[in-house]
Amino acid sequence: MYFVDTLDVPGLGNRGYLAGGADTAVVVDPPREPDRVIAAAARRGVRITHVAETHVHNDYVSGGLELARITGAAYLVPARARVSYARVPVRDGDRTPVDTGLALRALATPGHTPHHTSYVLEDDGTAVAVFTGGSLLIGTVGRPDLVEPRLTRQLAEAQYDSAHRLATALPDATAVLPTHGFGSLCAASPSGGTDGPTTIGQERLANEALVKDVDTFVADLLAGLDDIPAHYARMGPVNAEGPAPVDLTPPRRADGQEIAARLAAGEWVVDLRHRVAFARGHVAGTLNFEAAGQFAVHLAWLLPWGKPVTLLAESAEQLAAVQRELVRVGIDRPAAASTGTPADWLPPGGVTRTFPRATFTELAGALRADAATGARPSVVVLDVRRDRERADGHIPGSLHLPLHQLRDRLGEIPDGTVWVHCAGGTRAAIAASVLDAAGREVVAVDDGFDAARAAGLTEADRDPARTP
């Protein structure tokens, strides 16, 4: 008998896997924190003998090297991957025993990266599951544009071939277990966000790479690619060099005076509270990245590489959880931290700042009232969604600055009160904090974009090039 346990990392939209038999196991594409993986193996009562990477990851810092070091496991890495550490190079067709009757068979599946390798889990010689990494995802494939722009079309074609290789080589009942695609920005299209489970047979009927001809697939894939998160350019080199061991000890504590000094020095001070609490009262100059969902991805995308960051959390437990999220995206050691409320974070005599929140219905009312004055418009509508989202509909006359571009383009925002929105409120809250820190009068639209449609605010625009 065999087992496969999922190591879910929802903040990144990724999954790693622990697979094994009665005594020993392999970990595929492990998350950064080795203690979590070791605890999962302990619950199964198995020893980790192998750690396997499907590719050198671009979206997160892998825990594979440290896990292999701690456990003494063999570290399996595709032979064509250029890395700086000792590993067991894996080539197409290699078979690695995992437990009695259980083995991993390597299948070269280039496309997400040139060296990408999938691993077929075989039980007594029968394929029962395939760990597809960033190759065959649920309904789509991993994006092919994260390595080198000149290789993108070539890798897109390789993704098509790799998907067909998996579909041809494996039985319909084989479980498909991708690393990316559960909200990950490594998925080539939004269809990669479905949760599963799925099999080779199901993907053969529905996956974009398996139901379209190669020319249509490649054209659609390339047309649908969105911006690459800035921190992806740093994750690949970190993983190739070999990540440092994780340090999850609490950061040094900062008082109100130190927080004020760090803000004055231009450092980032990040308030992790819920966006509603932040809007009601916060330390001037702090930025709000609510500790939920994909906050670590947003923070890593916006934070200049190497800039010191101080964390403001509601509790020690929240701070510890956030540290785990941040090490996954290469933010290893906060400069300082503090827990409590804004009263604990202010210097002597300091006061908090606030800004209002609103709905799309209230925005519609503000726009009508503004138009009725006949004067120069005082309401500025700012859309911070990504290009692909805006292409499905936007508010006419709104300014479009994707969140990851906002800090560099603040000068493009006209005078007036900025009503900032996204698709659901989270990114709008981040943007509102950036604008507030820059001294702008801001209203955070904390509402789902369907409400904008219901309020009659939107029009469709399928051509992102037409957006203002």
Side-chain angles (χ1 to χ4, degrees):
M1 290 294 292
Y2 70 94
F3 70 86
V4 178
D5 290 341
T6 300
L7 304 168
D8 199 17
V9 191
L12 295 178
N14 286 337
R15 291 177 177 175
Y17 299 94
L18 173 72
D23 301 307
T24 53
V26 60
V27 183
V28 180
D29 288 346
R32 182 84 188 272
E33 321 94 286
D35 60 336
R36 178 187 174 194
V37 183
I38 291 169
R43 287 192 293 271
R44 281 287 187 178
V46 295
R47 180 169 57 91
I48 297 171
T49 56
H50 296 82
V51 177
E53 301 283 9
T54 56
H55 60 294
V56 175
H57 301 280
N58 287 288
D59 64 323
Y60 72 97
V61 180
S62 172
L65 183 63
E66 187 175 2
L67 181 63
R69 179 184 60 80
I70 291 172
T71 62
Y75 193 24
L76 311 180
V77 178
R80 292 180 59 199
R82 296 178 179 178
V83 296
S84 300
Y85 45 79
R87 43 71 189 263
V88 177
V90 177
R91 295 173 176 82
D92 185 50
D94 285 356
R95 185 176 268 100
T96 302
V98 174
D99 200 288
T100 303
L102 200 65
L104 277 186
R105 177 164 55 91
L107 280 181
T109 48
H112 188 49
T113 67
H115 61 265
H116 191 284
T117 298
S118 298
Y119 297 95
V120 181
L121 185 66
E122 296 179 335
D123 185 25
D124 289 330
T126 299
V128 293
V130 56
F131 303 104
T132 55
S135 182
L136 187 69
L137 309 186
I138 301 174
T140 185
V141 296
R143 57 192 297 175
D145 59 332
L146 303 181
V147 178
E148 159 62 54
R150 291 172 297 180
L151 295 178
T152 297
R153 175 172 289 276
Q154 175 184 330
L155 290 177
E157 294 169 349
Q159 280 289 51
Y160 183 89
D161 292 338
S162 292
H164 281 261
R165 183 184 188 195
L166 290 166
T168 301
L170 300 174
D172 280 357
T174 308
V176 175
L177 303 173
T179 299
H180 304 312
F182 308 94
S184 169
L185 296 177
C186 275
S189 73
S191 63
T194 54
D195 190 50
T198 189
T199 64
I200 287 291
Q202 290 171 290
E203 292 305 306
R204 186 180 287 113
L205 296 175
N207 193 287
E208 295 172 338
L210 299 175
V211 298
K212 298 177 180 179
D213 64 82
V214 61
D215 292 335
T216 302
F217 167 76
V218 170
D220 290 348
L221 181 63
L222 298 181
L225 294 174
D226 214 332
D227 289 345
I228 300 173
H231 63 288
Y232 280 23
R234 302 187 289 268
M235 298 300 94
V238 168
N239 285 322
E241 180 66 24
V246 172
D247 179 1
L248 293 173
T249 58
R252 62 182 304 278
R253 179 178 174 80
D255 60 15
Q257 288 183 317
E258 180 178 342
I259 290 168
R262 289 186 177 277
L263 285 167
E267 296 183 11
W268 278 37
V269 178
V270 173
D271 188 327
L272 300 163
R273 294 176 300 146
H274 191 278
R275 57 185 182 266
V276 174
F278 184 88
R280 287 175 178 165
H282 57 272
V283 177
T286 58
L287 303 178
N288 182 214
F289 288 79
E290 179 184 337
Q294 292 190 307
F295 89 94
V297 172
H298 295 308
L299 179 55
W301 196 339
L302 271 65
L303 179 70
W305 184 245
K307 181 175 280 293
V309 60
T310 295
L311 303 176
L312 307 180
E314 292 179 301
S315 65
E317 292 75 17
Q318 183 186 57
L319 178 61
V322 163
Q323 283 185 258
R324 284 184 175 271
E325 293 278 351
L326 293 182
V327 297
R328 296 168 182 162
V329 290
I331 304 174
D332 281 14
R333 290 300 298 167
S338 184
T339 58
T341 68
D344 303 303
W345 305 329
L346 287 167
V351 295
T352 58
R353 284 180 60 89
T354 65
F355 55 75
R357 297 164 49 252
T359 64
F360 279 110
T361 298
E362 290 170 313
L363 171 58
L367 288 170
R368 287 193 297 269
D370 200 35
T373 67
R376 182 177 179 178
S378 63
V379 173
V380 178
V381 181
L382 175 62
D383 180 351
V384 295
R385 297 174 300 160
R386 295 192 296 275
D387 290 346
R388 187 160 61 188
E389 297 170 282
R390 186 171 170 92
D392 288 331
H394 71 278
I395 298 173
S398 61
L399 177 66
H400 182 217
L401 298 178
L403 176 61
H404 59 277
Q405 299 177 14
L406 180 60
R407 283 180 59 87
D408 294 331
R409 300 177 64 184
L410 289 172
E412 299 178 29
I413 303 174
D415 293 339
T417 301
V418 183
W419 292 60
V420 59
H421 80 84
C422 61
T426 300
R427 286 171 292 171
I430 297 171
S433 73
V434 172
L435 292 162
D436 179 77
R440 294 299 302 266
E441 185 176 353
V442 63
V443 178
V445 179
D446 194 354
D447 207 355
F449 196 70
D450 285 345
R453 297 185 176 96
L457 286 172
T458 67
E459 68 179 27
D461 183 359
R462 290 288 176 177
D463 180 7
R466 290 168 46 205
T467 58

